[in-house]
């Protein structure tokens, strides 16, 4: 005997006739619609092992792996300072997922919209482009990611047309993120 698979839906129909009786005509039924949403899973890659070499320091290692010195220190219960021992094995936590937040999501002409990148590589130069609904593009000057991988820029909407504006943040070390905001009329 075969078992039933989890998540399957079986529909049984009965015609309502008694044995030997002719079934009555029925109008077709609209099948029930079911929506199944897959569970969201968030998995982080495991930490990376790194063996300290002569001349290494916590700041340089953090920069190389795109994480903060504080994150490495916390993952390895290191005290303050940049003191490492040659041959010491460090657990390097995974870099945080990159993201672009645009605030506020909607606004009116004359407002300032703020773009915040998280998860860029430390020291990465990030340039923001704003693409207007009519096809015009504004490209800002590069901004350097801070020690925590964050970059913030702002855009003022003087004289811009109503509609959806796309924002692209591109970094010189591979970060590429998209967001948007709407300018209400």
């Amino acid at each position: 005997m075969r078992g039933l698979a989890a998540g399957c839906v079986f529909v049984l129909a009965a015609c309502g006739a008694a044995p030997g009786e002719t079934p009555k005509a029925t109008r077709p039924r609209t099948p029930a619609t079911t929506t199944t949403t897959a569970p969201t899973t968030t998995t982080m890659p495991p930490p990376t092992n790194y063996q300290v070499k002569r001349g290494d320091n916590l700041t340089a290692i953090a920069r190389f792996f795109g994480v903060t010195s504080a994150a490495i220190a916390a993952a390895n219960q290191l005290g303050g300072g940049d003191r490492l021992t040659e041959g010491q094995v460090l657990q390097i936590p995974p870099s945080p997922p990159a993201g672009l937040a645009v605030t506020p999501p909607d606004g009116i002409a004359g407002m300032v919209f703020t773009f915040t990148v998280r998860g860029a590589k430390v020291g990465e130069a990030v340039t923001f482009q704003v693409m207007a609904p009519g096809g015009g593009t504004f490209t800002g000057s590069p901004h350097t990611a801070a020690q925590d991988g964050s970059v913030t820029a702002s855009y003022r909407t003087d004289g811009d047309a109503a509609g959806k504006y796309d924002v692209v943040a591109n970094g010189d070390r591979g970060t590429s993120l998209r967001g948007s905001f709407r300018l209400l009329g």
Side-chain angles (χ1 to χ4, degrees):
M1 175 175 195
R2 292 187 175 181
L4 297 177
C8 290
V9 177
F10 291 92
V11 179
L12 301 175
C15 62
E21 200 176 68
T22 305
K24 298 178 187 171
T26 58
R27 62 174 201 237
R29 291 189 180 166
T30 305
T33 304
T34 56
T35 304
T36 304
T37 305
T40 303
T41 58
T42 304
T43 57
M44 292 290 289
T48 301
N49 288 332
Y50 177 78
Q51 188 168 10
V52 176
K53 297 174 190 76
R54 181 184 302 267
D56 277 347
N57 63 54
L58 197 56
T59 304
I61 295 169
R63 184 173 291 125
F64 177 79
F65 284 100
V67 297
T68 64
S69 302
I72 295 174
N76 294 280
Q77 294 84 37
L78 301 176
D82 230 4
R83 295 185 197 130
L84 300 174
T85 306
E86 184 178 351
Q88 178 180 6
V89 176
L90 298 175
Q91 295 285 314
I92 309 297
S95 53
L100 171 61
V102 178
T103 53
D106 301 315
I108 59 172
M111 285 186 70
V112 173
F113 289 83
T114 302
F115 313 140
T116 305
V117 167
R118 62 173 166 53
K121 296 180 180 53
V122 176
E124 183 173 20
V126 178
T127 302
F128 294 90
Q129 286 186 316
V130 178
M131 290 161 281
T137 300
F138 168 79
T139 302
S141 58
H143 294 72
T144 303
Q147 286 293 321
D148 65 355
S150 67
V151 181
T152 302
S154 58
Y155 177 78
R156 186 178 181 97
T157 60
D158 290 334
D160 293 332
K164 180 183 172 203
Y165 287 73
D166 291 314
V167 180
V168 177
N170 284 317
D172 64 351
R173 296 187 194 165
T175 298
S176 184
L177 303 166
R178 293 185 167 274
S180 65
F181 65 91
R182 284 185 328 139
L183 194 57
L184 307 172

